[in-house]
Amino acid sequence: MTNDVLIIGGGVGGTIVANLVAKEAGDRARVTLVDSTGMHVYQPGFLYVAVGQEKPENLSREESRLLRSEVKLVVDQATLVRTDDHKVVLKSGKTLRYDELVLATGSRIVPEEVPGAAGAHNFYSMEGATRLHRALEQFTGGTIVIGVAGIPYKCPPAPVEFVFLLDDYLRARRLREKSQIKLLSPLNRAFTIEATSKLVQPILAERGIELTGFFNVETVDPINKTVTSLEGETVGYDLLVLVPPHRGAKLIEDSKLGDARGWIPVDKNTLKHTEHPDIWALGDATNIPISKSGSVAHYEASVAADEIVAALKGEAPPAHVYDGKVMCFLETGQGQATTIRFDYDHPPVSPNPSHLWHWAKALFNKTYWHTVPQGRLP
Amino acid sequence: MSVAVVMKLDLKGLSCPLPIIKTAKAMKSIYPGEYIEVFATDPGSVPDFKAWAQSTGNSLVESDVQDGVFHFVLRKKEA
């Protein structure tokens, strides 16, 4: 018997699952991947686009070139999952049947949820990063404020990385002395992880980057150029960069497969939907209280693929489950970086920042296209 | 408990900094001098609530743990 394995979303998680299932399941599966654009985007590169260190065209490839030949790619928008008859409805009107469904639908940003924030900059989309880069090119000095307007958001250390890269950028343009960089953090530290915060806070101070704690962005006044927190504090800015609130995909909300914010409830080890045994979800799309990052989607993908292949072969579920593993790089500016590694049972650890980790990240950014989507990196 | 709690927040299962953010939002909806009671399971919430109260001028009047659930009572600062 040949099962229909349907994957929604051609990001890092969905692409790896498609390739691994196609490779391991052979004739047991017809693997189809649906993606709304047909382009695979390397989102960690947005930060570099914002500060002019990367060109947008280097961050995307045709999804068809990253998939094994056995995987059928359908470029269309999935609009509804019908669990009663195991079908996914597409925008074109077509429907696709599934026996096993993988929701790798990611997250979306909703800046409109923050009153006054429509004009604020962000580095959470190609358009946002490109527009921010243009604004920085025209910047001649003043106060740049970076704040967080919603939790959870993609890549928890990104705001910290951004302020370090921004500091480098302004120094290179000889604007640093005429500028202030203010990082507003939801907690009383640089970001959620305490060990890494302790490591980066002295570097923030050394670079003259001002950290304001317990500042959860609530509203923006674009006329008077101020941002106000839930805690009642107000800060003025000349250029505002916000991490916008995130939600799960509209498909998930419309199909009632997620919680109130569209995050899909899954078992944190098997990634199986808590109510539908033939649906898996991974990456940003889930409600697992762990980083929303490509790294998580990457490690989860092999677990979901192994589970599906075992089910197709009629074998017992694999012993290999997702253990909460996360491995992220964190740029600290001036050509240095550190890493953050942890899992469900081990608290985060970070080595001292060094040039080595910066080069490791640069190498990963370049080799990504030939290793990760194909499932070649464990 | 001797104080009148006007709102209870069940934040069990949420990881930091969500308990702080949900509490900060809830504090906006009560009057100065009123109390809010919070239940959370994230161990980081113990130091975070203490530091948050200090930083914002609200008072953390109770902080204890009952059967693995962290329990806090906060009093909103006078306007």
Side-chain angles (χ1 to χ4, degrees), chain B:
Chain B
M1 195 167 39
S2 56
V3 298
V5 169
V6 297
M7 195 186 282
K8 289 187 185 207
L9 292 179
D10 178 2
L11 306 177
K12 297 194 285 283
L14 296 179
S15 56
C16 83
L18 274 174
I20 288 287
I21 294 173
K22 300 242 175 202
T23 303
K25 276 189 183 163
M27 287 293 263
K28 293 202 74 162
S29 66
I30 66 169
Y31 289 106
E34 288 185 333
Y35 293 82
I36 211 163
E37 189 172 20
V38 180
F39 299 90
T41 46
D42 180 1
S45 60
V46 177
D48 286 349
F49 271 92
K50 192 178 165 201
W52 182 81
Q54 266 173 6
S55 153
T56 56
N58 298 293
S59 320
L60 180 64
V61 295
E62 280 185 36
S63 171
D64 50 50
V65 56
Q66 300 166 356
D67 301 324
V69 175
F70 302 102
H71 166 248
F72 309 97
V73 177
L74 293 130
R75 181 178 184 274
K76 181 158 172 167
K77 68 174 171 186
E78 298 301 330

Side-chain angles (χ1 to χ4, degrees), chain A residues 34-66:
Chain A
V34 177
D35 187 78
S36 60
T37 65
M39 295 301 287
H40 188 99
V41 180
Y42 183 63
Q43 300 185 42
F46 293 162
L47 268 180
Y48 301 100
V49 169
V51 295
Q53 291 184 22
E54 183 58 280
K55 292 194 176 93
E57 57 267 31
N58 292 338
L59 298 181
S60 59
R61 298 272 197 284
E62 284 174 27
E63 175 71 6
S64 59
R65 292 173 56 195
L66 303 172

Side-chain angles (χ1 to χ4, degrees), chain A residues 88-153:
Chain A
V88 172
V89 182
L90 306 179
K91 196 175 178 185
S92 62
K94 285 183 198 149
T95 58
L96 296 170
R97 227 196 117 263
Y98 67 83
D99 295 296
E100 283 82 20
L101 178 65
V102 179
L103 299 169
T105 44
S107 56
R108 61 192 165 118
I109 53 170
V110 280
E112 60 273 19
E113 288 185 358
V114 182
H121 288 277
N122 76 71
F123 43 80
Y124 278 87
S125 67
M126 196 76 91
E127 298 73 35
T130 308
R131 182 176 157 253
L132 174 53
H133 181 230
R134 277 200 305 270
L136 288 176
E137 280 187 314
Q138 287 159 15
F139 186 73
T140 53
T143 303
I144 302 183
V145 169
I146 296 90
V148 177
I151 302 277
Y153 61 86

